[in-house]
Amino acid sequence: MESQNLKHRSRDDPRFATTTSNEKNRANRREKRMAMAKRGLRSLVIAVSFPLSLTLLNIYLFGSGRGYASLAKPFWFPPLWLLHTGCLASSFVMGLSAWFVWVEGGFHVKPTALSLYLGYLGLSMAWHPAVLWMGASWAGLLVSLAMVGTLVGCSRDFGKVNPIAGNSVMPCLAWAAFLATVNLKLVFL
């Protein structure tokens, strides 16, 4: 009987009710944070896997490099596998940078950032077929110079939204400048 009175009193005790509501609030906040983290992780996977998938498909379809492999090249020209790896790394980093901007709501604030990013994706998809498959060095040079321009714009616009995203574009910019140098040399071989 005494134990029932203690239970009854503790349920009626206002301190007990406050503790229970605090525990419910903490559990509710924890569930909300977990749901947000899952959504964020899902969006990160999509943002990175989309450009990577496009680049892998591009390499699979046009990356054999028959024309590139047969050229007499200077010693500093990268082998075909290194070109593919550099393009994959650049796609990964740009997807990550775009995700940083998207998380901050930057594509709504700076719509030109999205246009520049999509322009970069299109140009990077055009480089492989132009240079490695068709052997069109002039077209590859124009595409790589346009990539440099879009990456400068991406760096500027991404940096206004999220400085980390703007700085993350710099290695991709260096890669595009290297591709432009390789293409320039291919034009004059």
Side-chain angles (χ1 to χ4, degrees):
M1 181 106 171
E2 175 100 14
S3 64
Q4 286 180 348
N5 286 339
L6 285 175
K7 286 181 184 176
H8 187 273
R9 273 190 236 147
S10 63
R11 272 188 258 139
D12 293 337
D13 190 358
R15 290 175 291 169
F16 179 75
T18 305
T19 304
T20 305
S21 66
N22 284 342
E23 289 174 6
K24 287 180 185 177
N25 286 341
R26 264 189 252 130
N28 193 15
R29 279 184 277 167
R30 193 174 318 124
E31 288 174 15
K32 285 181 182 177
R33 277 189 251 134
M34 286 299 290
M36 283 178 52
K38 286 179 184 177
R39 278 195 312 261
L41 186 59
R42 196 175 316 132
S43 66
L44 174 62
V45 167
I46 291 169
V48 170
S49 65
F50 177 68
L52 271 177
S53 303
L54 287 176
T55 304
L56 281 171
L57 179 66
N58 204 14
I59 289 170
Y60 177 74
L61 294 175
F62 305 110
S64 65
R66 289 182 289 265
Y68 182 80
S70 65
L71 289 173
K73 300 177 285 293
F75 73 93
W76 57 270
F77 264 46
L80 200 54
W81 66 266
L82 187 59
L83 283 174
H84 296 323
T85 305
C87 289
L88 284 169
S90 182
S91 293
F92 173 80
V93 172
M94 280 304 291
L96 186 64
S97 298
W99 181 76
F100 283 141
V101 173
W102 177 79
V103 165
E104 299 282 336
F107 289 134
H108 296 292
V109 175
K110 291 232 127 314
T112 56
L114 180 61
S115 302
L116 288 167
Y117 173 65
L118 292 175
Y120 163 76
L121 279 179
L123 290 166
S124 67
M125 294 302 112
W127 186 84
H128 264 87
V131 175
L132 300 179
W133 196 56
M134 296 185 311
S137 301
W138 277 104
L141 178 62
L142 293 175
V143 167
S144 57
L145 289 174
M147 278 187 349
V148 168
T150 57
L151 286 170
V152 167
C154 280
S155 177
R156 186 192 67 229
D157 283 357
F158 285 14
K160 289 178 183 175
V161 175
N162 183 328
I164 294 171
N167 291 335
S168 298
V169 175
M170 294 302 176
C172 302
L173 183 59
W175 178 250
F178 177 71
L179 289 179
T181 305
V182 166
N183 274 303
L184 186 63
K185 189 67 177 168
L186 282 175
V187 167
F188 294 109
L189 276 181

